Amino acid sequence: MSEVKILNSGEKFSHVSVGSLKGFEGKQFVKDAAGETSCEISFGSLPSGQAVPFFHSHKENEENYIILSGAGKFQVNGDVFDVAEGSVIRVATNCDRNLKCTSAEPMVYICIQAKEGSLGGYTMTDAEITERENLL
Ligand code: ZN
């Protein structure tokens, strides 16, 4: 089982890590360690041939699954489709979802939960270019 480590933090940032994703097992939520206020991020891994042991549904949050490695099948209510490394799957509120790893290698994924309909400005409608000495 993996754990989340706090690596750096300051008044305006936090940096946490679950470590290498090679060999990552189980499920790890990072919101509390990172101090996230707008979403919950979790890392998950499914061994070959395994599905999440239950379906679940969310009342307020949509979920965005990002498949980092492996491949499998995703089910939303009665719809089933193939997913693989590079897939991004958005699942709305009030529906049942599950995923299964069908590849020989484990399926590792990130799930981001955020309040459905909450995204206001984004990218360049929210960001502005600022002046700062580059210390990198
Ligand atoms: Zn969920």
PDB file of all heavy atoms in Angstrom, residues 27 29 56-58 63 65 97 111 113, ligand 1:
ATOM      1  N   LYS A  27      -5.252   2.435  -3.318  1.00  0.00           N
ATOM      2  CA  LYS A  27      -5.893   3.726  -3.553  1.00  0.00           C
ATOM      3  C   LYS A  27      -5.294   4.709  -2.558  1.00  0.00           C
ATOM      4  O   LYS A  27      -5.114   4.384  -1.386  1.00  0.00           O
ATOM      5  CB  LYS A  27      -7.404   3.566  -3.308  1.00  0.00           C
ATOM      6  CG  LYS A  27      -8.230   4.790  -3.562  1.00  0.00           C
ATOM      7  CD  LYS A  27      -8.659   4.869  -4.998  1.00  0.00           C
ATOM      8  CE  LYS A  27      -9.754   5.913  -5.196  1.00  0.00           C
ATOM      9  NZ  LYS A  27      -9.977   6.182  -6.617  1.00  0.00           N
ATOM     10  N   PHE A  29      -5.736   8.824  -1.457  1.00  0.00           N
ATOM     11  CA  PHE A  29      -6.314  10.167  -1.575  1.00  0.00           C
ATOM     12  C   PHE A  29      -5.275  11.191  -1.128  1.00  0.00           C
ATOM     13  O   PHE A  29      -4.532  10.937  -0.175  1.00  0.00           O
ATOM     14  CB  PHE A  29      -7.570  10.290  -0.708  1.00  0.00           C
ATOM     15  CG  PHE A  29      -8.709   9.442  -1.199  1.00  0.00           C
ATOM     16  CD1 PHE A  29      -8.865   8.146  -0.751  1.00  0.00           C
ATOM     17  CD2 PHE A  29      -9.610   9.943  -2.121  1.00  0.00           C
ATOM     18  CE1 PHE A  29      -9.913   7.358  -1.201  1.00  0.00           C
ATOM     19  CE2 PHE A  29     -10.664   9.164  -2.584  1.00  0.00           C
ATOM     20  CZ  PHE A  29     -10.810   7.866  -2.125  1.00  0.00           C
ATOM     21  N   HIS A  56     -20.293   2.901  -7.480  1.00  0.00           N
ATOM     22  CA  HIS A  56     -20.700   4.010  -6.628  1.00  0.00           C
ATOM     23  C   HIS A  56     -21.158   5.172  -7.487  1.00  0.00           C
ATOM     24  O   HIS A  56     -20.931   5.204  -8.696  1.00  0.00           O
ATOM     25  CB  HIS A  56     -19.596   4.414  -5.646  1.00  0.00           C
ATOM     26  CG  HIS A  56     -18.465   5.187  -6.240  1.00  0.00           C
ATOM     27  ND1 HIS A  56     -17.496   4.609  -7.020  1.00  0.00           N
ATOM     28  CD2 HIS A  56     -18.136   6.506  -6.156  1.00  0.00           C
ATOM     29  CE1 HIS A  56     -16.623   5.530  -7.390  1.00  0.00           C
ATOM     30  NE2 HIS A  56     -16.987   6.705  -6.886  1.00  0.00           N
ATOM     31  N   SER A  57     -21.838   6.112  -6.841  1.00  0.00           N
ATOM     32  CA  SER A  57     -22.404   7.281  -7.506  1.00  0.00           C
ATOM     33  C   SER A  57     -22.140   8.491  -6.628  1.00  0.00           C
ATOM     34  O   SER A  57     -22.046   8.357  -5.411  1.00  0.00           O
ATOM     35  CB  SER A  57     -23.916   7.058  -7.677  1.00  0.00           C
ATOM     36  OG  SER A  57     -24.530   8.187  -8.235  1.00  0.00           O
ATOM     37  N   HIS A  58     -21.982   9.663  -7.241  1.00  0.00           N
ATOM     38  CA  HIS A  58     -21.776  10.894  -6.469  1.00  0.00           C
ATOM     39  C   HIS A  58     -22.972  11.822  -6.616  1.00  0.00           C
ATOM     40  O   HIS A  58     -23.556  11.920  -7.685  1.00  0.00           O
ATOM     41  CB  HIS A  58     -20.509  11.612  -6.928  1.00  0.00           C
ATOM     42  CG  HIS A  58     -19.263  10.979  -6.424  1.00  0.00           C
ATOM     43  ND1 HIS A  58     -18.657  11.351  -5.251  1.00  0.00           N
ATOM     44  CD2 HIS A  58     -18.509   9.965  -6.913  1.00  0.00           C
ATOM     45  CE1 HIS A  58     -17.582  10.604  -5.058  1.00  0.00           C
ATOM     46  NE2 HIS A  58     -17.462   9.759  -6.047  1.00  0.00           N
ATOM     47  N   GLU A  63     -16.621  13.161 -11.624  1.00  0.00           N
ATOM     48  CA  GLU A  63     -15.300  12.556 -11.492  1.00  0.00           C
ATOM     49  C   GLU A  63     -14.640  12.516 -12.854  1.00  0.00           C
ATOM     50  O   GLU A  63     -15.287  12.240 -13.862  1.00  0.00           O
ATOM     51  CB  GLU A  63     -15.390  11.136 -10.921  1.00  0.00           C
ATOM     52  CG  GLU A  63     -15.717  11.134  -9.448  1.00  0.00           C
ATOM     53  CD  GLU A  63     -15.596   9.763  -8.832  1.00  0.00           C
ATOM     54  OE1 GLU A  63     -16.084   8.783  -9.420  1.00  0.00           O
ATOM     55  OE2 GLU A  63     -15.023   9.675  -7.737  1.00  0.00           O
ATOM     56  N   TYR A  65     -11.497  10.597 -14.575  1.00  0.00           N
ATOM     57  CA  TYR A  65     -10.499   9.538 -14.459  1.00  0.00           C
ATOM     58  C   TYR A  65      -9.474   9.721 -15.566  1.00  0.00           C
ATOM     59  O   TYR A  65      -9.834   9.893 -16.731  1.00  0.00           O
ATOM     60  CB  TYR A  65     -11.156   8.160 -14.609  1.00  0.00           C
ATOM     61  CG  TYR A  65     -12.054   7.773 -13.459  1.00  0.00           C
ATOM     62  CD1 TYR A  65     -13.356   8.269 -13.354  1.00  0.00           C
ATOM     63  CD2 TYR A  65     -11.613   6.895 -12.478  1.00  0.00           C
ATOM     64  CE1 TYR A  65     -14.176   7.904 -12.296  1.00  0.00           C
ATOM     65  CE2 TYR A  65     -12.440   6.519 -11.425  1.00  0.00           C
ATOM     66  CZ  TYR A  65     -13.714   7.024 -11.340  1.00  0.00           C
ATOM     67  OH  TYR A  65     -14.536   6.658 -10.293  1.00  0.00           O
ATOM     68  N   ARG A  97     -20.731   3.934 -11.541  1.00  0.00           N
ATOM     69  CA  ARG A  97     -19.515   3.739 -12.341  1.00  0.00           C
ATOM     70  C   ARG A  97     -18.631   2.672 -11.717  1.00  0.00           C
ATOM     71  O   ARG A  97     -18.648   2.452 -10.498  1.00  0.00           O
ATOM     72  CB  ARG A  97     -18.722   5.036 -12.542  1.00  0.00           C
ATOM     73  CG  ARG A  97     -17.823   5.543 -11.398  1.00  0.00           C
ATOM     74  CD  ARG A  97     -18.524   6.191 -10.222  1.00  0.00           C
ATOM     75  NE  ARG A  97     -19.648   7.020 -10.570  1.00  0.00           N
ATOM     76  CZ  ARG A  97     -19.596   8.346 -10.644  1.00  0.00           C
ATOM     77  NH1 ARG A  97     -18.486   8.984 -10.367  1.00  0.00           N
ATOM     78  NH2 ARG A  97     -20.684   9.033 -10.927  1.00  0.00           N
ATOM     79  N   CYS A 111      -7.978   9.925 -10.233  1.00  0.00           N
ATOM     80  CA  CYS A 111      -9.373  10.371 -10.252  1.00  0.00           C
ATOM     81  C   CYS A 111      -9.446  11.739  -9.583  1.00  0.00           C
ATOM     82  O   CYS A 111      -8.936  11.915  -8.472  1.00  0.00           O
ATOM     83  CB  CYS A 111     -10.279   9.382  -9.526  1.00  0.00           C
ATOM     84  SG  CYS A 111     -12.015   9.878  -9.598  1.00  0.00           S
ATOM     85  N   GLN A 113     -12.094  14.507  -8.340  1.00  0.00           N
ATOM     86  CA  GLN A 113     -13.489  14.830  -8.016  1.00  0.00           C
ATOM     87  C   GLN A 113     -13.606  16.327  -7.844  1.00  0.00           C
ATOM     88  O   GLN A 113     -12.849  16.914  -7.072  1.00  0.00           O
ATOM     89  CB  GLN A 113     -13.859  14.267  -6.649  1.00  0.00           C
ATOM     90  CG  GLN A 113     -14.382  12.888  -6.587  1.00  0.00           C
ATOM     91  CD  GLN A 113     -14.710  12.555  -5.133  1.00  0.00           C
ATOM     92  OE1 GLN A 113     -15.467  13.247  -4.477  1.00  0.00           O
ATOM     93  NE2 GLN A 113     -14.107  11.486  -4.652  1.00  0.00           N
TER      94      GLN A 113
HETATM   95 ZN    ZN B   1     -16.018   8.461  -6.633  1.00  0.00          ZN
END
